[in-house]
Each structure stands twice: as structure tokens, then as C-alpha cells.
Amino acid sequence: MKHFFLFMLALILSVTMALGSVLPGVTAYNEGKIERVADLNRGNTVSNSRYSVSGSRNGIVTVKDAVSSEVIRTFQMDAGVVVRETFLLEGGKTVAASQKDHAVFWDLETGKEVRRFPQRIYGFSHDETKFFTYELPQGIIFLHSYPSFTLVCKIPQGGAGPVQFRFSPNDRFLNIQFATGYPGSDENYPQGNPTRSSLIYAKLFDIQTCQEIKEFSQLRLGSIGKFSADSSFLSTPQDIITDLSSRRILRTWWRFNLKTYKVEKLAD
């Protein structure tokens, strides 16, 4: 009973800390840098050195010159439906955007639609060779290849939806934070739908083998971490973890070794 109480306390604290980490702001895709992180509870403006692209709540996608802010093109998706994600691919040659149940790709130079995909696309790997979608209520992650759009694999996850995610620099690992109530309806976007109780948790996936890393899931963390530049570790600031050997609750700086799948304590 004592161990069960400690476990539940750790889980509650993790949820509380994770809830506090979801703040309003702007989603940032750092092109040419080490990491790409996306908080799906934030805005959907994305940019590279040449263009910026954003989506409206009325289904309009706008591409602007990143320096002058001059409008280059606008694209119309389903009218009256929120644009949830926007993407600049192939150095700005291709523009893509997602609504709640599909995504559309356009050639920026010609303005022509080049592809329509029947699922919401959450994000792309750094090298743009893979992207993932998510299906509820089954709770399945679908990993696809780009630009072929072929299905690579399906990864069962659970019943909550993605809130934010991060690809590792080498594009082998995908760290996702999930929460009940997500994805929210258009009326509530970018927030999730109200729920009587909310469970927030993070999971880590090896997208090369299409497997959930169970050793990470057992830590019962509420927020995603930060990958090292060489993709050897995943670390996070102070968080609540449960020491699996002693069942003790720890508040500590830690990192997860992506080669051994073990937690390494750094400092108290």
C-alpha cells in the first residue's frame, strides 16, 4: 500500500508539472539547427530564412516574405475550418498545411495543389523523410515516408492525443507528450477539450524500429525532454521520476541513455 501511494503521488505530481509547462506562444521549427520541437497547444506559424507561412481559423494559409512580410501567396483549405499545422518543405519549394482530418500540399511557385493527404499531419523529421499522424479513438501513431507518402508502420500508443513532440537530431527517436482531451475540437483549438480529469504523460519511440521504448514509459514522466546533439541522451530539467529499484520518488536532474535505455542521475 505504501508503494502504491508513492506511485500515485509521483503520477499526480508529474501531471501537475506537465500542465504548467503548456503555455501560449508560437510554435518554433528551428530549420538548420539541432532540434525541431512543436507544441501543438500553440500557434501554427512556421518560417525559414526566406518565407514564413501561417494558417487562420477560417481555413486560409498565407505565405509571406520573411524579411519584408509581403504576401507571396494565399491558399484556401476547407472554409471555416481551423488550420492546425503549417509546413515549409524542400527549402520552401513546397507548402503544406493540416486541418483536423486531412492535409494539403502546394507548389509555392505555381500555386497548384500537388497532393491531398487524408489525415492530419502533426510533424516532419528534420530530414523531411518521415512524418507522423495520429488516429483516435484507437490511439495509433502512423509513421509515413515523404515524399512517397507510403505507410512505414503503425505504433499503438493509447487513448490520449499529442500535445507537443520533439524529434531527435538524428531523426531516430520521437518524444511525444500526450493528454486526454487532445486533439481539441475547432471551437477549443489550440486548447484541448474540457475533461473532468486529465492525464498527461510522455512516451518515447524508436521510429527506426517502430517500437515504443518501454523503459522510458515506466518512468511515468509528464513532459518531453531535450535530446543531446549526438542523440545519445534525452534529458529534462527537474522532474518527478520513480526509482524502479527502490520505488522511491525522486526530484532530480536526470538523463535517459538512448543506448542503454537506463536513467542516469546528474544532480539533486
Side-chain angles (χ1 to χ4, degrees):
M1 179 63 68
K2 179 181 178 181
H3 290 165
F4 176 76
F5 173 76
L6 290 174
F7 166 74
M8 291 304 297
L9 179 59
L11 184 60
I12 291 170
L13 289 172
S14 293
V15 169
T16 302
M17 293 177 66
L19 279 169
S21 70
V22 181
L23 303 172
V26 177
T27 298
Y29 287 84
N30 296 322
E31 301 293 346
K33 296 186 178 180
I34 291 177
E35 294 183 278
R36 174 177 293 182
V37 60
D39 186 337
L40 301 173
N41 193 32
R42 301 182 177 184
N44 64 1
T45 299
V46 63
S47 64
N48 60 18
S49 59
R50 187 175 179 184
Y51 304 111
S52 67
V53 57
S54 62
S56 76
R57 300 188 67 86
N58 295 316
I60 299 173
V61 177
T62 302
V63 182
K64 294 182 179 180
D65 183 284
V67 177
S68 68
S69 295
E70 176 188 359
V71 174
I72 305 300
R73 284 194 186 277
T74 59
F75 303 97
Q76 180 67 61
M77 300 186 75
D78 291 355
V81 179
V82 174
V83 177
R84 300 190 177 217
E85 284 84 32
T86 53
F87 308 101
L88 282 169
L89 304 167
E90 302 168 73
K93 177 182 176 181
T94 301
V95 178
S98 290
Q99 291 182 309
K100 59 185 178 181
D101 56 5
H102 71 285
V104 182
F105 293 74
W106 300 273
D107 183 293
L108 180 58
E109 183 177 358
T110 65
K112 293 183 178 180
E113 181 179 318
V114 294
R115 182 84 184 204
R116 186 170 287 259
F117 190 76
Q119 287 179 304
R120 174 187 177 185
I121 296 175
Y122 283 83
F124 284 80
S125 58
H126 296 86
D127 61 11
E128 298 177 3
T129 63
K130 294 183 177 68
F131 64 88
F132 79 95
T133 64
Y134 190 74
E135 184 176 283
L136 283 172
Q138 295 88 345
I140 300 174
I141 297 170
F142 291 82
L143 186 67
H144 306 265
S145 62
Y146 180 81
S148 67
F149 294 92
T150 55
L151 177 64
V152 176
C153 63
K154 301 178 183 180
I155 309 174
Q157 184 285 129
V163 179
Q164 58 181 335
F165 65 88
R166 176 179 273 129
F167 285 93
S168 63
N170 66 358
D171 288 325
R172 174 168 181 171
F173 300 99
L174 176 59
N175 193 197
I176 306 179
Q177 181 190 47
F178 297 92
T180 51
Y182 284 83
S185 62
D186 275 6
E187 291 76 14
N188 294 313
Y189 181 83
Q191 305 295 327
N193 293 330
T195 60
R196 290 186 178 181
S197 61
S198 183
L199 178 62
I200 297 182
Y201 54 92
K203 289 195 175 184
L204 180 65
F205 305 94
D206 184 332
I207 58 177
Q208 188 175 89
T209 63
C210 292
Q211 297 291 325
E212 176 186 341
I213 298 176
K214 299 293 186 180
E215 291 85 349
F216 182 87
S217 300
Q218 290 172 352
L219 299 175
R220 303 186 185 280
L221 299 172
S223 57
I224 62 173
K226 183 177 181 180
F227 290 100
S228 61
D230 62 359
S231 299
S232 294
F233 301 97
L234 177 63
S235 60
T236 188
Q238 279 192 340
D239 208 339
I240 300 296
I241 67 172
T242 301
D243 186 310
L244 297 179
S245 59
S246 65
R247 308 301 298 177
R248 292 186 303 113
I249 297 173
L250 306 175
R251 184 188 294 272
T252 184
W253 290 84
W254 61 270
R255 67 182 184 183
F256 185 77
N257 191 311
L258 294 170
K259 295 180 180 178
T260 65
Y261 291 174
K262 292 183 179 179
V263 173
E264 299 177 358
K265 183 178 178 180
L266 300 180
D268 291 324

